[in-house]
Amino acid sequence: GKRLERSEGRFQHSLRAPGLLLTLNISTRYQHVKGFGGSLSDAAALNILALSQPAQDHLLRSYFSESGIEYNLIRLPMACSDFSVRPYSYDDVPDDYELKHFKLAEEDVEMKV
């Protein structure tokens, strides 16, 4: 659609704010935007996988392709989140600073990776 399409317009005079002057300096930038995206939680993955293959393809194209909204970033929650169907983590062994017991959960391997 036109959500990210650049457009220009004019402010109309309002009796509510007489004398209001708004000046925009578009040459001054305060932050850099790396991109746009969403979160791929367990709940999102479960819902995507519940769709038919053609619907999955259409959904992913709608998000990531040039004919869609062109997301270029995805956030993956680390271990479970409040959008998971069960609590889990990657390493519950105390003092395992070398992460010898680190292991991805089946949700990560089957639904997200």
Side-chain angles (χ1 to χ4, degrees):
K2 296 185 176 191
R3 286 184 280 180
L4 299 177
E5 184 177 294
R6 182 181 174 151
S7 64
E8 295 184 17
R10 296 185 179 275
F11 288 97
Q12 296 181 359
H13 177 71
S14 171
L15 296 176
R16 294 184 191 162
L20 174 68
L21 176 64
L22 177 64
T23 303
L24 302 176
N25 181 351
I26 62 172
S27 66
T28 302
R29 297 184 182 195
Y30 294 99
Q31 58 183 302
H32 176 75
V33 177
K34 285 188 175 250
F36 294 91
S39 177
L40 185 58
S41 63
D42 293 0
L46 284 168
N47 283 299
I48 293 169
L49 292 172
L51 299 171
S52 67
Q53 190 62 51
Q56 288 179 33
D57 294 341
H58 178 72
L59 176 70
L60 295 175
R61 275 194 311 275
S62 296
Y63 280 118
F64 298 102
S65 75
E66 290 182 11
S67 63
I69 58 176
E70 297 186 78
Y71 273 6
N72 62 344
L73 297 173
I74 285 292
R75 180 181 64 83
L76 288 171
M78 300 224 16
C80 79
S81 72
D82 52 344
F83 294 105
S84 297
V85 296
R86 69 179 181 91
Y88 62 90
S89 74
Y90 296 141
D91 189 346
D92 284 331
V93 177
D95 302 321
D96 184 15
Y97 301 114
E98 294 179 13
L99 298 175
K100 291 180 180 179
H101 300 277
F102 178 92
K103 182 179 178 189
L104 292 176
E106 66 181 76
E107 286 87 347
D108 297 306
V109 176
E110 293 177 12
M111 298 188 304
K112 294 180 275 187
V113 177

